[in-house]
């Protein structure tokens, strides 16, 4: 079972340049998984919330490429809110962590790198099911 403490902020390389800064990321080097998919969330209307689920197997790395937003993490025991507001920092989230994204600034762009292709069957969208899954004594 993963815990909120297993989520961690990772600082990415930043090449400062008067022509404009550059940051990069390599799977299995800067983050602990091979990148199989990338998607991004943008044009979020004020007050909207994204996410609101956990994954059984998927690991993700979340970057605020532009603007800012909060990532709210919950393992069924503990809850933590992480503000992302720099394009050279990202948040690693292992599998089995409930998360939602909120407080998007105007023009925020959220890049998500994922360890697996899209699979709706990997989602846990029912909070009660997640709580049950995280309860002491439940199957690993
Ligand atoms: P979802 O993951 O529920 O969005 P959120 O970011 O709020 O958690 O995905 C929303 C919709 O987009 C859903 O119908 C599935 C689809 N989708 C894909 O087809 N491929 C993808 O890689 C992702 C992330 C979502």
């Amino acid at each position: 079972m993963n815990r909120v403490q297993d989520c961690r902020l990772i600082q990415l390389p930043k090449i400062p340049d008067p022509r404009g800064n550059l940051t990069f990321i390599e799977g299995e080097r800067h983050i602990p998984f091979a990148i199989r998919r990338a998607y991004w969330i943008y044009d979020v209307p004020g007050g909207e919330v994204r996410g609101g689920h956990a994954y059984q197997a998927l690991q993700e790395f979340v970057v605020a490429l532009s603007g800012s937003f909060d990532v709210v993490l919950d393992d069924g025991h503990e809850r933590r809110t992480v503000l992302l507001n720099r394009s050279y920092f990202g948040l690693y989230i292992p599998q089995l962590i409930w998360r939602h994204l909120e407080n998007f600034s105007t023009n925020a762009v959220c890049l998500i790198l994922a360890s697996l292709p899209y699979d709706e069957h990997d989602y846990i969208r029912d909070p009660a099911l997640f709580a049950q899954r995280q309860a002491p004594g439940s199957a690993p």
Side-chain angles (χ1 to χ4, degrees), residues 37 39 41 50-51 53 55 118 120 123 125:
R37 176 166 54 111
Y39 63 97
I41 295 168
R50 297 293 318 221
H53 48 71
Y55 302 106
Y118 173 73
E120 182 60 34
Y123 281 71
R125 293 192 184 273

Side-chain angles (χ1 to χ4, degrees), residues 64-122:
L65 280 188
S66 178
S68 65
F69 50 85
D70 285 327
V71 185
V72 183
L73 305 163
D74 196 323
D75 58 19
H77 303 273
E78 191 190 339
R79 178 179 267 238
R80 179 177 149 210
T81 300
V82 179
L83 169 70
L84 292 181
N85 60 0
R86 294 281 181 272
S87 56
Y88 53 91
F89 268 98
L91 179 66
Y92 167 68
I93 310 177
Q95 65 273 35
L96 290 173
I97 300 287
W98 191 276
R99 93 289 310 277
H100 71 260
L101 280 57
E102 63 183 20
N103 293 330
F104 286 87
S105 68
T106 308
N107 292 331
V109 179
C110 169
L111 171 71
I112 300 176
L113 304 174
S115 65
L116 294 168
Y118 173 73
D119 176 8
E120 182 60 34
H121 296 109
D122 190 48

Side-chain angles (χ1 to χ4, degrees), residues 13-28:
K14 179 180 179 184
I15 315 291
D17 193 309
R19 301 171 300 162
N21 299 331
L22 183 150
T23 285
F24 58 94
I25 183 165
E26 293 176 13
E28 296 181 287

